């Protein structure tokens, strides 16, 4: 299912925005009264016009500018840059991940730092007015389903940031006493979210019956599965909240199973295990792709972006690199972890480190001589005075204008297309947003957490993803041992997950890398201290022979074992993670002062 804004409504939307511009402040509101007259809320086009405004907000796709994402701090769109706020990847600038790097400051202004309610008010405004339209009820409900879908997304984002937040079921005015409510208890809050998404599912049309480019029942099912897996596991591992996660885990199973039973989706593959995973993310469109449930389409002259232009190799502002922590979790090609497999060749060079590994590694992290070093690209960069090291991915001092801080250059979403790479604001590569692969991972993890996972479930979920990559099946009777990763969990998290859960988590990390899932996973598993593992802020092992011009101590800094340590000066003692403080963002100071019923987040 694609999303591209219906441009017949552009003029009307622009007029609408003039009347209903958003002010993010908590105590201020959209001037929605301005558009309510005898002529509005009367027709389907009115409902569509109102709903259209939320599509760009909640279905973002690729960015055409490096906007700083409040409150996380990274620049660019959540796909892929959200992983910079995790242990998967490192931004060049330590301040681009302020919470996890210990430099986050409590915002002062009311309505800042993510604590804003303008969107909630606008969504609720629709829900109390849409039934005024003189059209068939099922048509009205389909648009209300879209709004409930977006309201679920809005509240899910806020719950992930702050834990408990006030639940608002109607649009508030400046005189509404509810403005001074306390946070809604988590149990009540999440039941309200669940009710909203269930109603959206019941009202939205099935795939194939929707109007062009609009939300479907299947998208809502995947959103529900995502929300319920998060909540179910959060409750299981964050025992301090005193809530059972079983209901939500069962709902996650039910929603993901409904997608699997629909027969409308499958894992996309051509049988090319060395390229299919990479090629999934650089297609020209997803109209016939059976895996991509929701994607954002771009069109020349209508809706465009500058994603590749800002993606690592072209713009220094967003230089990044994957972490050694991520690279270590890829299995060897025999299905065993690097700590146990005889096929692992060590990490004295990138070439040896990436040999005999899960093929997704070389389709996610740049192998020397691949992707960024495409001969067609080299000539262009040389012409612009940007020297390319033709043998190895660039690091500081190697002659690259925009070197990777870790040496592990991301190539997922990288398309060797000169026009696309040069597009400052005219890129048209589409963005996959919801993938069927996620539904399979949810199904497997929820079953494992409930203790109901079988080999048949693994074969229908995890092993379908492994088959595309050419990896051995995950077998319940032969689960691999990984004493190194188990010891890491024990040391940093205070628990060791069962082998099955550990391997499903590994599969999730590998399959969804660079798609903005990792931070949420660490939070819900109560595994935030994995951010403090030394390998989470290290890069590849430095090899002077392969980088003869690089000067250690000037161009690059190394840890005691010889690995690139880009934060050696900024974080000389490494990262720290305080529980429960860093699982929640703080409320703005002014909001706590204005509303005495609000309590500041724990630890802040």
């Amino acid at each position: 299912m694609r999303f591209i804004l219906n441009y017949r409504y552009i003029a009307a939307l622009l007029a609408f925005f003039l009347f209903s511009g958003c002010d993010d402040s908590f105590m201020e509101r959209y001037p929605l009264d301005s558009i309510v007259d005898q002529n509005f809320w009367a027709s389907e086009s009115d409902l569509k016009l109102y709903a259209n405004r939320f599509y760009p907000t909640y279905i973002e796709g690729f960015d055409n500018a490096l906007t700083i994402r409040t409150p996380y701090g990274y620049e660019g769109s959540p796909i892929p840059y959200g992983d910079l706020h995790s242990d998967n990847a490192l931004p060049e600038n330590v301040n681009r991940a302020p919470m996890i790097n210990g430099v986050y400051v409590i915002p002062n202004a009311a309505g800042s730092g993510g604590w804003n309610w303008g969107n909630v008010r606008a969504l609720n405004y629709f829900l109390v007015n849409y039934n005024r339209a003189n059209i068939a009820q099922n048509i009205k409900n389909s648009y209300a389903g879209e709004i409930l879908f977006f309201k679920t997304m809005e509240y899910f984002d806020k719950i992930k940031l702050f834990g408990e937040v006030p639940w608002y079921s109607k649009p508030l005015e400046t005189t509404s006493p509810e403005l001074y409510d306390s946070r809604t208890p988590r149990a009540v809050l999440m039941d309200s979210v669940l009710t909203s998404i269930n109603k959206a599912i019941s009202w939205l049309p099935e795939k194939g019956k929707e109007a062009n480019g609009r939300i479907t029942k299947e998208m809502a099912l995947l959103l529900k599965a995502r929300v319920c897996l998060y909540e179910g596991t959060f409750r299981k591992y964050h025992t301090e909240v005193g809530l059972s996660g079983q209901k939500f885990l069962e709902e996650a199973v039910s929603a993901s199973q409904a997608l699997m039973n629909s027969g409308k989706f499958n894992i996309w593959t051509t049988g090319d295990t060395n390229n299919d995973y990479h090629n999934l993310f650089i297609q020209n469109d997803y109209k016939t792709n059976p895996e991509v449930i929701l994607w954002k389409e771009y069109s020349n002259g209508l809706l465009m972006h500058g994603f590749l232009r800002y993606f690592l190799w072209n713009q220094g502002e967003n230089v990044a690199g994957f972490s050694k922590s991520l690279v270590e979790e890829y299995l060897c090609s025999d299905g065993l972890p690097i700590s146990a497999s005889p096929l692992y060749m060590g990490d004295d060079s990138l070439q040896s480190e990436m040999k005999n590994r899960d093929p997704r590694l070389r389709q996610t992290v740049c192998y020397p001589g691949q992707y960024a070093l495409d001969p067609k690209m080299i000539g262009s960069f040389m012409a612009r005075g940007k020297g390319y090291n033709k043998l190895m991915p660039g690091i500081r001092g190697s002659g690259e204008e925009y070197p990777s801080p870790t040496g592990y250059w991301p190539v997922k979403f990288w398309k060797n297309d000169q026009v696309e790479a040069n597009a400052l604001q005219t890129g048209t590569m589409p963005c996959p947003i919801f993938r069927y692969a996620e539904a399979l991972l949810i199904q497997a993890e929820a079953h494992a957490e409930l203790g109901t996972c079988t080999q048949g479930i693994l074969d229908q979920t995890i092993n379908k993803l492994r088959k595309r990559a050419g990896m051995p099946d995950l077998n319940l009777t032969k689960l691999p041992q990984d004493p190194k990763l188990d010891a890491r969990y024990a040391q940093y998290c205070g628990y060791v997950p069962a082998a099955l859960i550990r391997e499903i988590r590994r599969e999730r990390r590998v399959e969804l890398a660079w798609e903005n899932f990792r931070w949420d996973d660490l939070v819900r598993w109560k595994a935030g201290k994995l951010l403090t593992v030394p390998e989470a802020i290290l890069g590849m092992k430095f090899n002077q022979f392969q980088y003869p011009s690089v000067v250690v101590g000037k161009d690059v800094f190394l840890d005691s074992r010889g690995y690139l340590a880009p934060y050696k000066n900024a974080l000389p003692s490494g990262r720290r993670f305080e529980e429960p403080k860093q699982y929640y963002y703080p409320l703005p100071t002014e909001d706590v002062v204005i509303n005495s019923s609000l309590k500041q987040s724990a630890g802040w």
Side-chain angles (χ1 to χ4, degrees):
M1 173 63 192
R2 62 179 175 168
F3 162 68
I4 183 168
L5 195 61
N6 189 332
Y7 286 89
R8 292 178 298 176
Y9 290 93
I10 283 290
L13 273 171
L14 290 174
F16 180 79
F17 289 158
L18 290 175
F19 283 114
S20 57
C22 171
D23 188 319
D24 282 342
S25 174
F26 175 78
M27 294 299 291
E28 297 187 17
R29 60 187 177 90
Y30 294 92
L32 295 169
D33 297 345
S34 302
I35 65 167
V36 179
D37 54 32
Q38 297 302 315
N39 296 321
F40 205 77
W41 305 111
S43 66
E44 180 179 357
S45 63
D46 290 341
L47 302 188
K48 182 183 290 187
L49 173 63
Y50 196 101
N52 279 352
R53 67 166 297 167
F54 298 106
Y55 275 77
T57 298
Y58 296 104
I59 304 174
E60 294 189 66
F62 295 138
D63 228 340
N64 64 355
L66 291 178
T67 305
I68 294 180
R69 294 290 163 157
T70 303
Y72 295 106
Y74 61 85
E75 294 178 282
S77 52
I79 298 177
Y81 302 117
D83 264 14
L84 297 178
H85 185 84
S86 78
D87 59 347
N88 273 356
L90 300 175
E92 175 80 11
N93 184 348
V94 71
N95 293 310
R96 293 282 72 86
M99 172 69 88
I100 63 175
N101 288 330
V103 293
Y104 190 80
V105 178
I106 298 176
N108 182 60
S112 60
W115 189 265
N116 49 72
W117 300 93
N119 285 336
V120 171
R121 183 177 192 273
L123 292 162
N124 283 337
Y125 202 85
F126 179 98
L127 294 173
V128 300
N129 282 289
Y130 78 98
N131 268 317
R132 294 166 55 187
N134 187 25
I135 57 177
Q137 190 64 45
N138 66 311
I139 296 175
K140 289 190 284 189
N141 287 350
S142 68
Y143 290 104
E146 293 179 14
I147 298 300
L148 288 167
F149 176 89
F150 295 137
K151 185 173 180 179
T152 299
M153 295 185 80
E154 177 72 25
Y155 262 98
F156 186 40
D157 286 343
K158 281 181 163 45
I159 289 163
K160 289 187 294 182
L161 285 173
F162 304 107
E164 295 177 340
V165 298
W167 175 263
Y168 297 124
S169 57
K170 64 180 182 180
L172 302 186
E173 307 300 328
T174 54
T175 57
S176 297
E178 292 89 348
L179 288 173
Y180 300 95
D181 283 352
S182 60
R183 304 192 197 205
T184 301
R186 191 174 191 111
V188 176
L189 179 62
M190 289 308 302
D191 281 348
S192 299
V193 171
L194 185 57
T195 297
S196 293
I197 193 61
N198 279 338
K199 188 174 289 186
I201 291 167
S202 69
W203 283 349
L204 286 165
E206 294 180 1
K207 174 181 168 63
K209 297 181 179 180
E210 80 281 6
N212 185 40
R214 306 204 76 85
I215 301 299
T216 68
K217 184 184 301 291
E218 290 77 16
M219 297 174 197
L221 279 168
L222 183 50
L223 177 60
K224 175 184 175 179
R226 181 186 295 181
V227 170
C228 290
L229 179 71
Y230 183 96
E231 184 63 14
T233 49
F234 187 96
R235 293 183 180 194
K236 178 175 180 178
Y237 292 98
H238 289 261
T239 55
E240 70 276 8
V241 302
L243 298 170
S244 170
Q246 181 164 338
K247 178 181 77 173
F248 282 91
L249 289 171
E250 290 172 348
E251 291 280 5
V253 166
S254 175
S256 55
Q257 188 67 60
L259 279 171
M260 295 168 65
N261 290 345
S262 72
K264 298 177 180 179
F265 307 101
N266 210 335
I267 296 302
W268 177 84
T269 179
T270 69
D272 183 356
T273 58
N274 290 318
N275 293 289
D276 275 354
Y277 180 76
H278 180 266
N279 289 343
L280 173 64
F281 301 96
I282 60 168
Q283 297 186 16
N284 292 324
D285 69 65
Y286 293 97
K287 293 183 181 71
T288 61
N289 189 292
E291 182 172 345
V292 178
I293 298 173
L294 171 62
W295 56 290
K296 188 159 185 175
E297 182 180 13
Y298 297 87
S299 180
N300 189 35
L302 295 176
L303 183 65
M304 299 167 287
H305 62 79
F307 174 65
L308 288 189
R309 173 68 176 174
Y310 289 109
F311 186 40
L312 305 180
W313 289 285
N314 287 321
Q315 294 293 324
E317 296 95 330
N318 222 33
V319 169
F322 286 128
S323 69
K324 184 165 184 60
S325 170
L326 171 63
V327 172
E328 284 185 342
E329 279 211 41
Y330 286 80
L331 296 169
C332 288
S333 56
D334 57 4
L336 297 176
I338 61 174
S339 62
S341 174
L343 298 180
Y344 184 54
M345 305 299 292
D347 60 5
D348 285 341
S349 69
L350 269 179
Q351 290 90 337
S352 62
E353 186 174 17
M354 299 176 77
K355 189 174 182 180
N356 301 330
R357 304 289 292 278
D358 182 331
R360 285 172 291 187
L361 176 57
R362 286 176 59 158
Q363 297 174 67
T364 304
V365 181
C366 186
Y367 182 82
Q370 282 188 298
Y371 301 117
L373 307 183
D374 185 295
K376 293 181 294 183
M377 304 298 291
I378 294 171
S380 171
F381 285 118
M382 291 292 285
R384 299 205 305 265
K386 300 177 180 181
Y388 245 91
N389 181 324
K390 298 182 181 181
L391 298 178
M392 295 293 296
I395 60 175
R396 297 188 191 105
S398 66
E400 297 294 344
E401 185 173 356
Y402 304 126
S404 166
T406 67
Y408 297 125
W409 280 26
V411 291
K412 187 171 177 176
F413 294 108
W414 175 257
K415 188 175 186 177
N416 275 320
D417 182 292
Q418 189 64 65
V419 174
E420 194 77 43
N422 286 341
L424 182 60
Q425 293 181 327
T426 57
T428 57
M429 186 176 83
C431 179
I433 297 173
F434 282 12
R435 287 203 289 137
Y436 182 58
E438 184 192 351
L440 301 186
L441 290 163
I442 291 171
Q443 175 80 182
E445 186 179 349
H447 268 298
E449 293 287 4
L450 288 167
T452 57
C453 191
T454 65
Q455 186 61 48
I457 290 168
L458 291 180
D459 291 340
Q460 290 301 310
T461 57
I462 299 297
N463 291 335
K464 282 195 171 186
L465 301 176
R466 290 192 172 195
K467 183 177 181 180
R468 169 168 57 197
M471 286 292 289
D473 286 349
L474 182 61
N475 193 319
L476 271 179
T477 63
K478 297 180 181 178
L479 294 171
Q481 299 298 308
D482 193 345
K484 181 178 180 180
L485 186 53
D486 287 347
R488 184 171 288 178
Y489 271 109
Q491 178 181 352
Y492 291 93
C493 303
Y495 70 90
V496 179
L500 175 62
I501 292 175
R502 181 229 301 141
E503 292 309 307
I504 291 173
R505 289 184 180 185
R506 183 201 306 275
E507 192 71 24
R508 183 177 174 89
R509 187 179 191 184
V510 165
E511 179 67 27
L512 299 179
W514 217 215
E515 294 181 60
N516 192 29
F517 286 96
R518 181 62 175 175
W519 166 249
D520 292 346
D521 289 345
L522 293 177
V523 170
R524 65 189 179 87
W525 296 333
K526 202 174 184 180
K529 288 190 176 181
L530 290 179
L531 290 161
T532 68
V533 171
E535 287 77 8
I537 53 173
L538 294 179
M540 68 180 185
K541 196 166 190 177
F542 178 70
N543 188 315
Q544 186 74 70
F545 175 77
Q546 292 180 321
Y547 292 96
S549 65
V550 174
V551 178
V552 175
K554 176 186 175 184
D555 299 319
V556 299
F557 297 90
L558 311 179
D559 80 340
S560 60
R561 298 169 295 170
Y563 296 101
L564 291 178
Y567 295 167
K568 187 171 185 177
N569 293 329
L571 300 175
S573 300
R575 280 181 178 149
R576 295 180 58 193
F577 191 89
E578 297 180 51
E579 294 184 337
K581 177 181 179 180
Q582 284 173 264
Y583 287 124
Y584 306 100
Y585 275 80
L587 278 59
T589 302
E590 286 187 359
D591 279 299
V592 177
V593 172
I594 291 169
N595 181 2
S596 60
S597 296
L598 289 176
K599 304 301 180 186
Q600 186 56 277
S601 299
W604 294 93

